[in-house]
Amino acid sequence: MAGFLDNFRWPECECIDWSERRNTMASMFSGVLFFTGWWVMIDAAVCYPSQEQMNHAFHTCGVFATVAFFMINAVSNGQVRGDTYGEGCLGRTGARLWLFIGFMVLFGSLIASIWILFGAYVVPKKEVYPGLAVFFQNVLIFFSTLIYRFGRKEDVWTPNSKPPGRQTTSGGGIARSQTPTLNNQPHSKHLALPPFCNKRTLKEPIFDRDVRQEFASTPFVRTNCGLNGQQRS
Amino acid sequence: MAGIKSLLTLSFGAAIGLMFLMLACALPVYNTYWPLFVLFFYVLCPIPYCISQRVADNLDGGSSACRELAIFLTTGVVVSAFGLPVILARAQVIAWGACALVLTGNTVIFATILGFFVVFGSNDDFGW
């Protein structure tokens, strides 16, 4: 009886590549949360238009949370680690400082919205919906920021690294994630169009010549694939 | 050609969606034209994704920061298109029945736009 689900496996869904879709799903979910937060606030502003029912200054919480969203998501993990070439504007320390201030503003707006809810609506026993709207706006923007920042995968990119799961010969990694199945089974039934098989071919400046030669001997060269990924030969 | 059938289905879907929207406005029992503002969101919806496909070369066939931002903004536009009729109804500018019709029309139209991208959009250079 115990462990009867041990051999249970979810049905394999071959049309979706979850490692690739994770970023898309995270972006979509984050977008839903963010804009739902704003529309909740717009709803409260429409239904309670007077200054006594909802002080117009309470909009600043949401505005600061939005600013924090863009600040936090403007720097990539690579910049914080110091991976990128070139100095950028301020380098690694500047990126860390920017991120720090962004998170501070985000947390601050969340705390301010809680304060507004309790201090201006619950304690004075006013109609509580506008306070709830301010609170939910900031909570939703908060979670949206976290999901957008930490829910997306970004591969470590260094000039000589191999991205996880790849068995390339050598040479530069590519900045974003690649599907492992593509590299392990080049001619298989896989799911997305292989990157080397569409009309946009590999651009010369990213790979140097030696790597190109090595790739020429792998199955990834354009001549082996049709536009739809089927094998020509 | 598989394209013709898909094209017909998609254009039918768009027509049905717009029909719902016009019903919400033009039925004598409602007779307000405020819901037509969602047309703005319909037009805005494909733009971020198209821009990201043109601007960022998706060399690795998948995600890039630009594409994810475009998906974020597109989702925002979709949510806004659903939020606007609800807010109009809560503010009693339109009736709840009209709101329901607009939401149905939204669903159909966005399914059509998504279908367009799935069928016609993938990985080819966008012509113009």
Side-chain angles (χ1 to χ4, degrees), chain A residues 185-222:
Chain A
Q185 295 137 31
H187 294 302
S188 73
K189 36 41 175 167
H190 75 92
L191 335 156
L193 200 61
F196 294 53
C197 292
N198 61 19
K199 284 190 197 168
R200 291 197 184 90
T201 60
L202 207 52
K203 298 230 167 62
E204 287 299 327
I206 295 184
F207 289 91
D208 61 26
R209 205 162 269 261
D210 291 335
V211 179
R212 192 82 169 107
Q213 295 296 329
E214 283 169 311
F215 270 119
S217 65
T218 71
F220 298 121
V221 176
R222 189 162 52 119

Side-chain angles (χ1 to χ4, degrees), chain A residues 37-47 59 137, chain B residues 87:
Chain A
W38 269 103
W39 279 96
V40 166
M41 192 60 185
I42 292 173
D43 178 60
V46 164
C47 292
H59 285 283
Q137 179 198 23
Chain B
I87 287 189

Side-chain angles (χ1 to χ4, degrees), chain A residues 1-8:
Chain A
M1 178 65 187
F4 70 97
L5 286 179
D6 279 351
N7 290 328
F8 177 73

